[in-house]
């Protein structure tokens, strides 16, 4: 998070009711920003969607930008947890790639508003936008290094590989999970996995 955003963040709610209200506002903001874009969404439309007063909003957030930052962090946490569970019992790193691809596509299709919020954040807070991807890359890099140590993948630059693999997932996710609600995701994930596992060299076949 940017230094400005971090310094302005209000304390977490002290009661379960307060936390429920805060989450209710975040859910509404996710829908509003995801569907309308950051510029068109407003605190008044967010609070109307959440069915709370505007004064209540300011008990939990100082600005619309604060809400956006929290939504990006939420997306990162939820996605990393979703992927971790999806690949937890994969027998090899390559199988983890196959399962992770499909799980990622399913997550994007199930959470299109949240995915769009992350894209919007690059124009509002570049630091939080970078943090989202850097946190993912750090987890990915660690997993690749561990797989390399076990001899499951060839040795290589884990940092470059992590970002390259994330790029594949990100673009394929936009095309087939965010913009397309009908194409079977298993077929898409299998095609992307084949590229990762075998590359474009015909001699691999």
């Amino acid at each position: 998070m940017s230094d400005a955003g971090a310094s302005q963040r209000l304390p977490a709610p002290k009661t379960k009711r307060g936390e429920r209200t805060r989450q209710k506002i975040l859910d509404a903001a996710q829908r509003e920003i995801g569907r309308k874009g950051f510029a068109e969404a407003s605190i008044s439309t967010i609070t109307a969607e959440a069915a709370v007063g505007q004064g209540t909003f300011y008990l939990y957030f100082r600005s619309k930008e604060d809400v956006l930052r929290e939504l990006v962090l939420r997306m990162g946490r939820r996605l990393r947890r979703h992927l971790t569970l999806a690949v937890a019992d994969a027998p090899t790193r390559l199988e983890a790639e196959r399962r992770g691809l499909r799980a990622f596509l399913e997550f994007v299709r199930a959470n299109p508003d949240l995915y769009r919020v992350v894209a919007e954040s690059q124009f509002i807070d570049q630091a939080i936008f970078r943090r989202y991807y850097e946190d993912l890359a750090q987890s990915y890099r660690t997993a690749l290094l561990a797989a390399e140590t076990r001899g499951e993948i060839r040795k290589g630059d884990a940092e470059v590989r992590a970002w390259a693999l994330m790029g594949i997932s990100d673009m394929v996710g936009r095309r087939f999970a965010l913009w397309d609600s009908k194409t079977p995701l298993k077929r898409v994930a299998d095609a992307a996995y084949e590229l990762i596992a075998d590359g474009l060299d015909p001699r691999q076949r």
Side-chain angles (χ1 to χ4, degrees):
M1 181 179 294
S2 65
D3 291 340
S7 65
Q8 293 179 356
R9 187 172 181 181
L10 292 171
K14 296 181 179 180
T15 66
K16 290 183 179 180
R17 181 179 179 183
E19 182 56 31
R20 284 196 299 270
T21 300
R22 184 175 183 273
Q23 291 302 318
K24 192 175 179 181
I25 294 169
L26 283 169
D27 289 341
Q30 176 180 315
R31 292 190 294 271
E32 285 290 296
I33 297 173
R35 296 170 189 172
K36 298 179 179 178
F38 184 81
E40 292 298 318
S42 66
I43 290 174
S44 61
T45 61
I46 290 170
T47 52
E49 175 74 12
V52 300
Q54 288 193 44
T56 302
F57 176 93
Y58 291 104
L59 294 175
Y60 304 99
F61 304 99
R62 295 184 187 275
S63 65
K64 190 171 61 165
E65 288 78 9
D66 270 0
V67 174
L68 181 78
R69 294 183 188 104
E70 183 58 37
L71 286 174
V72 173
L73 294 177
R74 169 196 267 194
M75 169 71 172
R77 289 191 300 268
R78 289 184 176 179
L79 176 58
R80 290 194 301 274
R81 183 174 186 275
H82 182 76
L83 294 177
T84 297
L85 293 174
V87 306
D89 60 348
T92 66
R93 183 63 221 175
L94 285 178
E95 180 59 24
E97 290 296 329
R98 182 198 295 274
R99 297 183 188 186
L101 266 166
R102 185 172 179 183
F104 176 79
L105 296 176
E106 290 170 346
F107 185 90
V108 172
R109 187 170 280 182
N111 299 274
D113 293 337
L114 201 50
Y115 199 71
R116 293 188 189 103
V117 166
V118 173
E120 287 272 313
S121 72
Q122 67 185 302
F123 307 110
I124 312 304
D125 188 333
Q126 186 67 215
I128 201 72
F129 179 70
R130 284 189 59 173
R131 177 177 168 181
Y132 167 79
Y133 284 103
E134 286 169 351
D135 286 350
L136 282 173
Q138 182 178 356
S139 299
Y140 217 148
R141 178 178 176 275
T142 299
L144 291 172
L145 285 171
E148 185 179 298
T149 299
R150 295 191 300 268
E152 294 176 2
I153 59 175
R154 292 199 308 269
K155 292 183 180 297
D157 189 319
E159 182 74 6
V160 173
R161 285 176 168 180
W163 285 91
L165 291 167
M166 284 165 50
I168 291 174
S169 296
D170 197 25
M171 289 296 101
V172 172
R174 290 177 188 275
R175 166 62 180 85
F176 292 100
L178 191 61
W179 301 341
D180 179 349
S181 61
K182 296 181 180 179
T183 300
L185 294 181
K186 182 181 184 304
R187 179 174 68 79
V188 176
D190 285 347
Y193 169 77
E194 182 182 309
L195 174 63
I196 292 169
D198 299 329
L200 299 175
D201 189 342
R203 289 172 296 181
Q204 296 295 330
R205 289 293 182 185

